[in-house]
Amino acid sequence: MPIQTTPVLTGPDGAGPAPDADLVAVPFGPGPDLAPAPWLESPVPVDALLAHYEAKGEPGEVVEVPTLREGGVRRVLLYGTGDGSAAALRKAGAALARRAKGRASLSVVVPPKGETAALAEGALLAAYTFTIGNGGKKPVGEIVFVGGDERDLKRGEAVARATALARDLVNTPSSVKTPAWLAEQAKAIAAESGLGVRVREGAELGEFGGIRAVGQGSVSPPCLVELSYTPENPRAHVVLAGKGITFDTGGLSLKPNEGMKTMKTDMGGGAAVIAAMSALAAFDVPVRVTGLVACAENSISGSAQRPGDVITQYGGRTVEVLNTDAEGRLVLADALAYAHAELDPDIVIDVATLTGAAKVALGTSLGALYATDESLAADLIAAGEAGGERLWRMPLVEDYRTMLDSDVADLANVDRTKSGAAGSIAAALFLREFTGGRPWAHLDIAGPARAASDDGETTKGGTGFGVRLLLRYLTATS
Ligand code: BES
Ligand code: MN
Ligand code: ZN
């Protein structure tokens, strides 16, 4: 089910694609560097053709041209490369993969300059499909990249594979995806990618009162996955914490069907953490990384937690659960408090589909970023921009902290005043309470974790948002 398209890297040779190549794509751009290749014979001069189609070489433009090759007529796709930036080539690659859908093979002549890793990344991600059974049109069978730097292309492929892994985890239906299933996937991935792994379940979750409370209404018990990556002479220790709610009914504070039907994706943050960690060794990440994925099904039953219950989070803080649908912060609070008390991290980053309010504020293209550290915020924003996953910094408004005061416990899990305002900020302020004052960033990805339709390299369903920016951030950390 992961990427079904095989990438083939043929390395630099300048000779052009194999003569019998089924479908060939050739770059063209606004600059003189990218006049279409000499072996391209079109019955109409290529310049005239491009002028005819008013094609300017912008990324995403694809002009189909019949050409004479090896005595026969073949179709060539002329693709725009824009300024050759990562964003442009990602878009160009995605447009090509979509155009080649259902074909056996596509040969892409790589432009001589520019961010060619992004070309491969965009093409492979746009070719991603998730199907159960035989429905849907098959993606292109293979993409042959002709020319270009092999290491760059391999990097693009590795990023695409990690992102596709997150998409697979998110797209898997919750009838299959129980907390135990997610933990099994994490174990298999850890074994393949040289990570340490420990899964806490049952009695081992004793102190993790938030994870237990959220999971207690489900027949599929909760667990905490801990993945570890330790390079030689690590420069720092980063903890990544992911929300792993395998299905969110809202609990007794039940969601209406409209809001519930997409909630198999409520482990998108946890998926991003697992998938990013799967590629750390391949990217030679210089920092120690611990991934915590707090897994539970927020279900409804006679054993489910009730509005008004008071729980004890890891570390001893008590929380009055006024709304069982604000469950993500309960499982994450345990993970954050555990990281602070036991792991001695230099930096903590959590990733979560936490609030509908973040989606209302920023839509589905951007993630909401909260941070208690300026350089951490700047680094994450830069990593997101470069990798095509944009973040927007949101404020931790101190005045709002009193919204979470409780009459009976240390904290309430939602705004006690029921104003409903600033829901994403309130959630972030709740989480901050458990970070012990360490440099911390929180990514609320409720919007971008899921897409309603295909667009560029994004495919309908789980997007894998966060994988690329985490990988880029961790690779660059010093
Ligand atoms: N998983 C949801 C948030 C969500 C909503 C993600 C829409 C993706 C799309 C979260 O657990 C939730 O239900 N949050 C509540 C919080 C509220 C009860 C304070 C929400 O956003 O309505
Ligand atoms: Mn919820
Ligand atoms: Zn949720």
Side-chain angles (χ1 to χ4, degrees):
M1 249 179 312
I3 295 178
Q4 292 172 28
T5 301
T6 314
V8 182
L9 314 177
T10 62
D13 65 359
D20 58 350
D22 178 37
L23 183 61
V24 176
V26 178
F28 77 100
D33 293 343
L34 285 183
W39 44 262
L40 189 71
E41 269 188 63
S42 166
V44 181
V46 171
D47 287 352
L49 261 174
L50 292 176
H52 174 74
Y53 287 110
E54 294 182 23
K56 302 181 190 69
E58 280 164 11
E61 270 178 6
V62 179
V63 175
E64 202 168 304
V65 179
T67 60
L68 286 171
R69 290 194 68 205
E70 305 292 312
V73 176
R74 289 188 197 283
R75 287 196 293 167
V76 165
L77 305 177
L78 296 174
Y79 69 97
T81 53
D83 59 4
S85 65
L89 290 187
R90 207 175 287 121
K91 193 167 174 185
L96 287 174
R98 292 203 189 286
R99 200 50 101 84
K101 209 169 176 182
R103 303 287 291 253
S105 175
L106 165 71
S107 294
V108 179
V109 176
V110 177
K113 278 193 203 143
E115 299 279 335
T116 50
L119 180 77
E121 182 188 307
L124 290 170
L125 282 178
Y128 171 89
T129 52
F130 183 89
T131 45
I132 297 171
N134 296 316
K137 198 169 174 184
K138 289 266 171 293
V140 57
E142 68 170 12
I143 303 178
V144 182
F145 293 97
V146 183
D149 180 66
E150 190 169 331
R151 278 191 48 202
D152 280 350
L153 293 168
K154 279 231 183 312
R155 200 155 40 85
E157 183 194 338
V159 169
R161 284 202 189 284
T163 307
L165 168 61
R167 289 182 184 179
D168 281 345
L169 295 174
V170 172
N171 288 333
T172 299
S174 299
S175 51
V176 172
K177 183 172 57 189
T178 60
W181 181 90
L182 194 53
E184 280 311 312
Q185 303 303 305
K187 279 185 187 167
I189 291 158
E192 278 166 33
S193 34
L195 302 170
V197 60
R198 171 170 179 193
V199 178
R200 288 177 177 82
E201 56 202 342
E204 294 166 303
L205 286 176
E207 288 185 70
F208 295 84
I211 297 174
R212 283 194 291 108
V214 172
Q216 74 189 32
S218 172
V219 290
S220 306
C223 61
L224 175 69
V225 176
E226 179 169 345
L227 295 167
S228 41
Y229 166 80
T230 314
E232 266 177 52
N233 306 316
R235 292 192 205 145
H237 183 195
V238 178
V239 165
L240 305 177
K243 171 175 173 180
I245 297 299
T246 58
F247 193 75
D248 184 10
T249 66
L252 289 177
S253 311
L254 195 64
K255 285 184 186 296
N257 188 63
E258 198 49 36
M260 200 192 296
K261 66 187 180 189
T262 57
M263 283 299 132
K264 70 172 183 182
T265 65
D266 209 19
M267 34 57 74
V273 169
I274 295 170
M277 291 203 66
S278 77
L280 296 181
F283 281 85
D284 262 325
V285 166
V287 292
R288 178 180 164 204
V289 184
T290 303
L292 300 171
V293 185
C295 307
E297 180 181 19
N298 190 23
S299 200
I300 177 170
S301 76
S303 64
Q305 67 172 335
R306 293 148 287 257
D309 283 0
V310 174
I311 65 171
T312 304
Q313 303 274 175
Y314 191 98
R317 301 275 272 297
T318 56
V319 170
E320 183 185 13
V321 180
L322 292 174
N323 188 321
T324 62
D325 198 10
E327 84 296 342
R329 64 197 75 181
L330 303 179
V331 300
L332 279 173
D334 279 351
L336 294 174
Y338 165 71
H340 169 62
E342 300 294 331
L343 300 176
D344 194 25
D346 300 296
I347 288 169
V348 179
I349 302 169
D350 76 71
V351 194
T353 50
L354 206 61
T355 65
K359 185 172 175 175
V360 170
L362 297 174
T364 54
S365 294
L366 286 80
L369 167 70
Y370 296 84
T372 55
D373 183 276
E374 298 307 306
S375 69
L376 174 58
D379 290 350
L380 285 169
I381 288 170
E385 290 289 335
E389 295 182 322
R390 291 178 63 200
L391 297 174
W392 194 263
R393 179 109 182 245
M394 304 281 272
L396 288 155
V397 182
E398 298 301 335
D399 292 355
Y400 297 167
R401 168 58 189 78
T402 52
M403 294 197 295
L404 301 172
D405 287 343
S406 162
D407 296 333
V408 299
D410 294 332
L411 275 173
N413 79 327
V414 293
D415 182 356
R416 168 191 46 112
T417 67
K418 301 198 204 89
S419 76
S424 174
I425 299 175
L429 288 169
F430 180 90
L431 292 179
R432 190 182 63 174
E433 294 295 312
F434 298 89
T435 59
R438 294 185 190 259
W440 162 74
H442 159 56
L443 275 53
D444 190 337
I445 61 165
R450 185 182 149 269
S453 59
D454 291 346
D455 180 25
E457 79 270 21
T458 302
T459 49
K460 186 176 170 168
T463 59
F465 188 93
V467 174
R468 290 183 281 167
L469 84 88
L470 287 176
L471 273 176
R472 219 170 248 273
Y473 167 76
L474 292 168
T475 309
T477 355
S478 41

